[in-house]
Amino acid sequence: MQGTEYGDEEVKKVMRTELHDRLVQAEKENRPLRIYCGYDPTKADLHLGHTVTMRKLQQFQEFGHEVTFLIGDYTALIGDPSDKDVTRPILKEEEIRANANTYAEQAFRILDPKKTIIRYNSEWLSKLNFAEIIRLTQNFTVQQFLSREKFKLRWERGDAVYLHETLYAVMQGYDAYSLKADVQVGGTDQFFNIVTAARKVMTALGAQPNIAICLSILPGTDGVEKMSKSLGNHVPINTTPEDMYGKMMSIPDNCMPVYFRLVTRWTPEKVAEMEKAMQAGSLHPRDAKMALASEVTEAFYGEEKAKAAEQDFVVKFQQKSIPDEMDEFVLTPGQKCLDVLVDAGMVKSRTDGRNMITQNAVKLNEELVTDWNAELSEGVLQVGKRKFVRLVKAK
RNA sequence: GGGCGGUUACCCAAGUGGCCAACGGGGACUGACUGUAAAUCAGUUGGCAUACGCCUUCGGAGGUUCGAAUCCUUCACCGCCCA
């Protein structure tokens, strides 16, 4: 149950008991538990935040349970109103399909492809007829939806709450029913969808309600907002080991504990131990964060590449020396420093380049460049802390 | 359908004829300090120009004026109220 959060101790207790009972029941029936988590293919790239639930799925997988990775191609037609306080733009079907394709591939960096069942919810949702939908919605009152925080907020502000948005939770409930799910994994923002909607739909249709595993929301690299690409505080999955390691090092100290629980493979004992050591002062927060960055990077890229990424980080940022690999830029005779900065894409404009130079941000071979008309020789040109380019002469 | 209010740079937001490339805040970037943490201090944040200055920008188009983000006309979008 590491990293779970229900906002209510009672609910947590109930879920814990139910999970225990269900395990016993499944054992008797000589079958594994059926676990699932749904992902709406609304973006092309996944980030670390998405992997929180995948990691939980993976843990179940390790214990031999049956895991379904559900791609919400049909729910993506609506877009989950849970995590937004504004109406979502509606995606085109082609976009959804394109995104869906990249999802599974990225998910398999965590989940075992051989043990994972991939399903699309259009499979059953597209077959429902109007009468069936009416019967499903009879289980809910408008008040239930209006009392949800996100809808309530919009209601009070006088913003639109569209009728179709209420169907999202109903659809998710029908997913759980169709999959005969024992357990549904999701973020705390899924609490309503899982606990209220899915369990109700399942019960109404005569099935055993599924058990919710709600996980805390992973904050972004700013340490405050929920990780999301649009806020620019995300750690993408499709990136380089160096970038991933570096991004991990930029998270604030105070959100390390959340990261420990949500994105590492560490046991609760190990986490407790590290936190204790940090408090006692025997573990430097920086070293703890490096361990965290290594662990996360290793989970995606393997031990060897993670070690290399760490080395790269130490060299580049802690010792502030110049990295081995960087892009090359071929000098043209007569080209001034400012031209090089602009042409090599190191600065966004000549004005910006001038500012950088006057702010002592430009170095050639570790020597400050103060004249933007200087003609540069071969070597390594650096702007700010992390932009490097190797200047070479034309052959 | 009628009345009123709004649309300013990445975001929020001030500006209601010249002193406006446009106050302030947030964010971002750079430097100092450091652990690519936090906090703090200093600077930059339309483009071109090593300066003087010039050019483009305040929802779109047109107009008034020596001069417009600011006034007028019109179009588009958004919000509030009445029907």
Coordinates of all heavy atoms in Angstrom, one line a residue, chain B residues 61-81:
Chain B
rA61 P -5.0 44.3 -38.8 OP1 -3.9 44.0 -39.7 OP2 -4.8 45.2 -37.6 O5' -6.3 44.9 -39.6 C5' -6.6 44.3 -40.9 C4' -7.8 45.0 -41.5 O4' -8.9 44.8 -40.5 C3' -7.7 46.5 -41.7 O3' -7.0 46.9 -42.8 C2' -9.2 46.9 -41.7 O2' -9.8 46.6 -42.9 C1' -9.7 46.0 -40.6 N9 -9.7 46.7 -39.3 C8 -8.8 46.5 -38.3 N7 -9.0 47.3 -37.2 C5 -10.2 48.0 -37.6 C6 -10.9 49.0 -36.9 N6 -10.6 49.4 -35.7 N1 -12.0 49.5 -37.5 C2 -12.3 49.0 -38.8 N3 -11.7 48.1 -39.5 C4 -10.6 47.6 -38.8
rG62 P -6.2 48.2 -42.8 OP1 -5.5 48.3 -44.2 OP2 -5.4 48.3 -41.6 O5' -7.3 49.4 -42.7 C5' -7.9 49.8 -43.9 C4' -9.2 50.6 -43.5 O4' -9.8 50.1 -42.3 C3' -8.9 52.1 -43.1 O3' -8.6 53.0 -44.1 C2' -10.3 52.4 -42.4 O2' -11.3 52.6 -43.3 C1' -10.5 51.1 -41.6 N9 -9.9 51.2 -40.2 C8 -8.8 50.6 -39.8 N7 -8.5 50.9 -38.5 C5 -9.6 51.8 -38.2 C6 -9.8 52.5 -37.0 O6 -9.2 52.4 -35.9 N1 -11.0 53.3 -37.0 C2 -11.8 53.4 -38.2 N2 -12.8 54.2 -38.1 N3 -11.5 52.7 -39.3 C4 -10.4 52.0 -39.2
rG63 P -7.7 54.2 -43.9 OP1 -7.5 54.9 -45.2 OP2 -6.5 53.7 -43.1 O5' -8.6 55.1 -42.9 C5' -9.6 55.9 -43.4 C4' -10.4 56.5 -42.3 O4' -10.6 55.6 -41.2 C3' -9.8 57.7 -41.6 O3' -9.9 58.9 -42.4 C2' -10.6 57.8 -40.3 O2' -11.9 58.4 -40.6 C1' -10.8 56.3 -40.0 N9 -9.8 55.9 -39.0 C8 -8.7 55.0 -39.2 N7 -8.0 54.9 -38.1 C5 -8.6 55.7 -37.1 C6 -8.3 55.9 -35.8 O6 -7.4 55.4 -35.1 N1 -9.2 56.8 -35.2 C2 -10.3 57.4 -35.8 N2 -11.0 58.2 -35.1 N3 -10.6 57.2 -37.1 C4 -9.7 56.3 -37.7
rU64 P -8.9 60.1 -42.2 OP1 -9.2 61.1 -43.2 OP2 -7.5 59.5 -42.0 O5' -9.3 60.7 -40.7 C5' -10.5 61.4 -40.6 C4' -10.6 61.9 -39.1 O4' -10.6 60.8 -38.2 C3' -9.4 62.7 -38.7 O3' -9.5 64.1 -39.1 C2' -9.5 62.6 -37.2 O2' -10.6 63.5 -36.7 C1' -9.9 61.2 -37.0 N1 -8.8 60.3 -36.8 C2 -8.2 60.2 -35.5 O2 -8.7 60.8 -34.6 N3 -7.2 59.4 -35.4 C4 -6.6 58.6 -36.4 O4 -5.6 57.9 -36.1 C5 -7.2 58.8 -37.7 C6 -8.2 59.6 -37.8
rU65 P -8.3 64.8 -39.8 OP1 -8.7 66.2 -40.2 OP2 -7.7 63.9 -40.8 O5' -7.3 64.9 -38.6 C5' -7.6 65.7 -37.4 C4' -6.5 65.5 -36.4 O4' -6.6 64.1 -36.0 C3' -5.1 65.7 -36.8 O3' -4.7 67.0 -36.9 C2' -4.4 64.9 -35.7 O2' -4.3 65.7 -34.5 C1' -5.3 63.7 -35.5 N1 -4.9 62.5 -36.3 C2 -4.0 61.6 -35.6 O2 -3.6 61.8 -34.5 N3 -3.6 60.5 -36.4 C4 -4.0 60.3 -37.7 O4 -3.5 59.3 -38.3 C5 -4.8 61.3 -38.3 C6 -5.2 62.3 -37.6
rC66 P -3.9 67.6 -38.1 OP1 -3.8 69.0 -38.0 OP2 -4.5 67.0 -39.3 O5' -2.5 66.9 -37.8 C5' -1.5 66.9 -38.9 C4' -0.2 66.6 -38.3 O4' 0.2 67.6 -37.4 C3' -0.2 65.3 -37.5 O3' 0.0 64.1 -38.3 C2' 1.0 65.5 -36.6 O2' 2.2 65.2 -37.2 C1' 0.9 67.0 -36.3 N1 0.2 67.3 -35.1 C2 0.9 67.1 -33.8 O2 2.0 66.6 -33.8 N3 0.2 67.3 -32.7 C4 -1.0 67.9 -32.7 N4 -1.6 68.1 -31.6 C5 -1.7 68.1 -33.9 C6 -1.1 67.8 -35.1
rG67 P -1.0 62.9 -38.0 OP1 -0.6 61.8 -39.0 OP2 -2.4 63.3 -37.9 O5' -0.4 62.4 -36.6 C5' 0.8 61.8 -36.5 C4' 1.2 61.6 -35.0 O4' 1.1 62.8 -34.3 C3' 0.2 60.7 -34.2 O3' 0.5 59.3 -34.5 C2' 0.5 61.1 -32.8 O2' 1.7 60.5 -32.3 C1' 0.7 62.6 -33.0 N9 -0.5 63.4 -32.7 C8 -1.3 64.0 -33.6 N7 -2.3 64.6 -33.1 C5 -2.2 64.4 -31.7 C6 -2.9 64.9 -30.7 O6 -4.0 65.6 -30.7 N1 -2.4 64.5 -29.4 C2 -1.3 63.7 -29.3 N2 -1.0 63.4 -28.0 N3 -0.6 63.3 -30.3 C4 -1.0 63.7 -31.5
rA68 P -0.7 58.2 -34.4 OP1 0.0 56.9 -34.6 OP2 -1.8 58.6 -35.2 O5' -1.1 58.3 -32.8 C5' -0.3 57.9 -31.8 C4' -1.0 57.0 -30.8 O4' -2.3 57.6 -30.5 C3' -1.3 55.6 -31.5 O3' -1.0 54.7 -30.5 C2' -2.8 55.7 -31.9 O2' -3.4 54.4 -31.6 C1' -3.4 56.7 -30.9 N9 -4.5 57.6 -31.5 C8 -4.8 57.8 -32.8 N7 -5.8 58.6 -33.0 C5 -6.2 58.9 -31.7 C6 -7.2 59.7 -31.2 N6 -8.1 60.4 -31.9 N1 -7.3 59.8 -29.8 C2 -6.5 59.2 -29.1 N3 -5.4 58.4 -29.4 C4 -5.4 58.3 -30.8
rA69 P -0.3 53.4 -30.4 OP1 1.0 53.8 -29.8 OP2 -0.2 52.9 -31.8 O5' -1.1 52.4 -29.5 C5' -1.9 51.4 -30.0 C4' -2.8 50.9 -29.0 O4' -2.0 50.6 -27.8 C3' -3.9 51.9 -28.5 O3' -5.1 51.7 -29.3 C2' -4.1 51.5 -27.1 O2' -5.0 50.4 -27.0 C1' -2.7 51.0 -26.6 N9 -2.0 52.1 -26.0 C8 -0.8 52.7 -26.4 N7 -0.4 53.6 -25.6 C5 -1.3 53.6 -24.5 C6 -1.3 54.3 -23.3 N6 -0.4 55.2 -23.0 N1 -2.4 54.0 -22.5 C2 -3.3 53.1 -22.8 N3 -3.3 52.3 -24.0 C4 -2.3 52.6 -24.7
rU70 P -6.0 52.9 -29.6 OP1 -7.1 52.4 -30.4 OP2 -5.2 54.0 -30.2 O5' -6.3 53.4 -28.2 C5' -7.5 53.1 -27.4 C4' -7.4 54.0 -26.2 O4' -6.0 54.1 -25.9 C3' -8.0 55.4 -26.3 O3' -8.9 55.6 -25.3 C2' -6.8 56.3 -26.2 O2' -7.1 57.4 -25.4 C1' -5.7 55.5 -25.5 N1 -4.4 55.9 -25.8 C2 -3.7 56.6 -24.8 O2 -4.2 56.9 -23.8 N3 -2.4 56.9 -25.2 C4 -1.7 56.6 -26.4 O4 -0.6 57.0 -26.5 C5 -2.5 55.8 -27.3 C6 -3.8 55.5 -27.0
rC71 P -10.5 55.3 -25.7 OP1 -11.3 55.5 -24.5 OP2 -10.6 54.0 -26.4 O5' -10.8 56.4 -26.8 C5' -11.3 57.7 -26.4 C4' -11.8 58.5 -27.6 O4' -10.6 58.9 -28.3 C3' -12.6 57.7 -28.6 O3' -13.9 57.6 -28.2 C2' -12.4 58.5 -29.8 O2' -13.2 59.6 -29.9 C1' -10.9 58.9 -29.7 N1 -10.0 58.0 -30.4 C2 -9.9 57.9 -31.8 O2 -10.7 58.6 -32.4 N3 -9.1 57.1 -32.4 C4 -8.3 56.3 -31.7 N4 -7.4 55.5 -32.3 C5 -8.3 56.3 -30.2 C6 -9.1 57.2 -29.6
rC72 P -14.8 56.4 -28.7 OP1 -16.1 56.4 -28.0 OP2 -14.0 55.1 -28.6 O5' -15.1 56.7 -30.2 C5' -15.9 57.8 -30.6 C4' -16.0 57.8 -32.1 O4' -14.7 57.9 -32.7 C3' -16.5 56.5 -32.7 O3' -17.9 56.4 -32.7 C2' -15.9 56.6 -34.1 O2' -16.7 57.4 -35.0 C1' -14.6 57.2 -33.9 N1 -13.5 56.2 -33.7 C2 -12.9 55.6 -34.9 O2 -13.4 55.9 -36.0 N3 -11.9 54.7 -34.8 C4 -11.4 54.5 -33.6 N4 -10.4 53.6 -33.5 C5 -11.9 55.1 -32.4 C6 -12.9 55.9 -32.5
rU73 P -18.6 55.0 -32.7 OP1 -20.1 55.2 -32.5 OP2 -17.9 54.1 -31.7 O5' -18.4 54.4 -34.1 C5' -19.0 55.0 -35.3 C4' -18.6 54.2 -36.5 O4' -17.1 54.4 -36.7 C3' -18.8 52.7 -36.5 O3' -20.1 52.4 -36.8 C2' -17.8 52.3 -37.6 O2' -18.3 52.5 -38.9 C1' -16.6 53.3 -37.3 N1 -15.5 52.7 -36.5 C2 -14.6 51.8 -37.1 O2 -14.7 51.5 -38.3 N3 -13.7 51.3 -36.3 C4 -13.5 51.6 -34.9 O4 -12.6 51.0 -34.3 C5 -14.5 52.5 -34.4 C6 -15.4 53.0 -35.2
rU74 P -20.7 51.1 -36.1 OP1 -22.2 51.1 -36.5 OP2 -20.4 51.0 -34.7 O5' -20.0 49.9 -36.9 C5' -20.2 49.7 -38.3 C4' -19.1 48.7 -38.8 O4' -17.8 49.3 -38.5 C3' -19.1 47.4 -38.1 O3' -20.0 46.5 -38.5 C2' -17.7 46.9 -38.4 O2' -17.5 46.4 -39.7 C1' -16.9 48.3 -38.3 N1 -16.3 48.5 -36.9 C2 -15.1 47.8 -36.7 O2 -14.5 47.2 -37.5 N3 -14.6 48.0 -35.4 C4 -15.2 48.8 -34.4 O4 -14.6 48.9 -33.3 C5 -16.4 49.4 -34.7 C6 -17.0 49.2 -36.0
rC75 P -20.6 45.4 -37.6 OP1 -21.9 44.8 -38.2 OP2 -20.6 45.9 -36.2 O5' -19.5 44.3 -37.7 C5' -19.2 43.6 -38.9 C4' -18.0 42.8 -38.8 O4' -16.8 43.6 -38.5 C3' -17.9 41.8 -37.7 O3' -18.7 40.6 -38.0 C2' -16.4 41.5 -37.5 O2' -15.9 40.7 -38.5 C1' -15.9 43.0 -37.7 N1 -15.7 43.7 -36.4 C2 -14.6 43.4 -35.7 O2 -13.7 42.6 -36.1 N3 -14.4 44.1 -34.5 C4 -15.4 44.9 -34.1 N4 -15.2 45.5 -32.9 C5 -16.6 45.2 -34.8 C6 -16.7 44.5 -36.0
rA76 P -19.3 39.8 -36.7 OP1 -20.2 38.7 -37.3 OP2 -19.9 40.7 -35.8 O5' -18.1 39.1 -36.1 C5' -17.3 38.1 -36.8 C4' -16.1 37.7 -36.0 O4' -15.3 38.9 -35.8 C3' -16.4 37.3 -34.6 O3' -16.8 35.9 -34.5 C2' -15.0 37.5 -33.9 O2' -14.1 36.5 -34.3 C1' -14.6 38.8 -34.5 N9 -15.0 39.9 -33.7 C8 -16.0 40.8 -33.8 N7 -16.1 41.7 -32.9 C5 -15.0 41.4 -32.1 C6 -14.5 42.1 -30.9 N6 -15.1 43.1 -30.3 N1 -13.4 41.5 -30.3 C2 -12.8 40.4 -30.9 N3 -13.2 39.8 -32.0 C4 -14.3 40.3 -32.5
rC77 P -18.0 35.5 -33.5 OP1 -18.5 34.2 -34.0 OP2 -18.9 36.6 -33.3 O5' -17.1 35.3 -32.2 C5' -16.1 34.3 -32.1 C4' -15.2 34.6 -31.0 O4' -14.6 35.9 -31.1 C3' -15.9 34.7 -29.6 O3' -16.2 33.4 -29.0 C2' -14.8 35.4 -28.8 O2' -13.7 34.6 -28.5 C1' -14.4 36.5 -29.8 N1 -15.2 37.7 -29.7 C2 -14.9 38.6 -28.7 O2 -13.9 38.4 -28.0 N3 -15.6 39.8 -28.6 C4 -16.6 40.0 -29.4 N4 -17.3 41.2 -29.3 C5 -17.0 39.1 -30.5 C6 -16.3 38.0 -30.6
rC78 P -17.5 33.2 -28.1 OP1 -17.7 31.8 -27.9 OP2 -18.5 34.1 -28.6 O5' -17.0 33.8 -26.7 C5' -15.9 33.2 -25.9 C4' -15.5 34.1 -24.8 O4' -15.1 35.4 -25.4 C3' -16.6 34.4 -23.8 O3' -16.9 33.4 -22.9 C2' -16.0 35.7 -23.2 O2' -14.9 35.4 -22.3 C1' -15.4 36.4 -24.4 N1 -16.4 37.4 -25.0 C2 -16.6 38.6 -24.4 O2 -16.0 38.8 -23.3 N3 -17.4 39.5 -24.9 C4 -18.1 39.2 -26.0 N4 -18.9 40.2 -26.5 C5 -17.9 38.0 -26.7 C6 -17.0 37.1 -26.2
rG79 P -18.4 33.2 -22.4 OP1 -18.4 31.9 -21.8 OP2 -19.3 33.5 -23.5 O5' -18.5 34.3 -21.3 C5' -17.7 34.2 -20.1 C4' -17.8 35.5 -19.3 O4' -17.4 36.6 -20.2 C3' -19.2 35.9 -18.9 O3' -19.6 35.2 -17.7 C2' -19.0 37.4 -18.6 O2' -18.4 37.7 -17.4 C1' -18.2 37.8 -19.8 N9 -18.9 38.3 -21.0 C8 -19.2 37.6 -22.2 N7 -19.9 38.3 -23.0 C5 -20.2 39.5 -22.3 C6 -20.9 40.6 -22.7 O6 -21.5 40.8 -23.8 N1 -21.0 41.6 -21.7 C2 -20.3 41.5 -20.5 N2 -20.5 42.5 -19.7 N3 -19.6 40.4 -20.1 C4 -19.6 39.5 -21.1
rC80 P -21.1 34.8 -17.5 OP1 -21.2 33.8 -16.4 OP2 -21.7 34.5 -18.8 O5' -21.7 36.2 -17.0 C5' -21.3 36.7 -15.7 C4' -21.9 38.1 -15.5 O4' -21.4 38.9 -16.6 C3' -23.4 38.2 -15.7 O3' -24.1 37.9 -14.5 C2' -23.6 39.7 -16.0 O2' -23.4 40.5 -14.9 C1' -22.4 39.9 -17.0 N1 -22.8 39.7 -18.4 C2 -23.4 40.7 -19.1 O2 -23.7 41.8 -18.5 N3 -23.8 40.6 -20.4 C4 -23.5 39.4 -21.0 N4 -23.9 39.3 -22.3 C5 -22.9 38.3 -20.3 C6 -22.5 38.5 -19.1
rC81 P -25.5 37.2 -14.6 OP1 -25.9 36.8 -13.2 OP2 -25.6 36.2 -15.7 O5' -26.5 38.4 -15.0 C5' -26.8 39.4 -14.0 C4' -27.5 40.6 -14.7 O4' -26.7 41.0 -15.9 C3' -28.8 40.3 -15.3 O3' -29.9 40.3 -14.4 C2' -29.0 41.4 -16.4 O2' -29.3 42.7 -15.7 C1' -27.5 41.5 -16.9 N1 -27.4 40.7 -18.2 C2 -27.8 41.3 -19.4 O2 -28.4 42.4 -19.3 N3 -27.7 40.6 -20.5 C4 -27.1 39.4 -20.5 N4 -27.0 38.7 -21.7 C5 -26.6 38.8 -19.3 C6 -26.8 39.5 -18.2

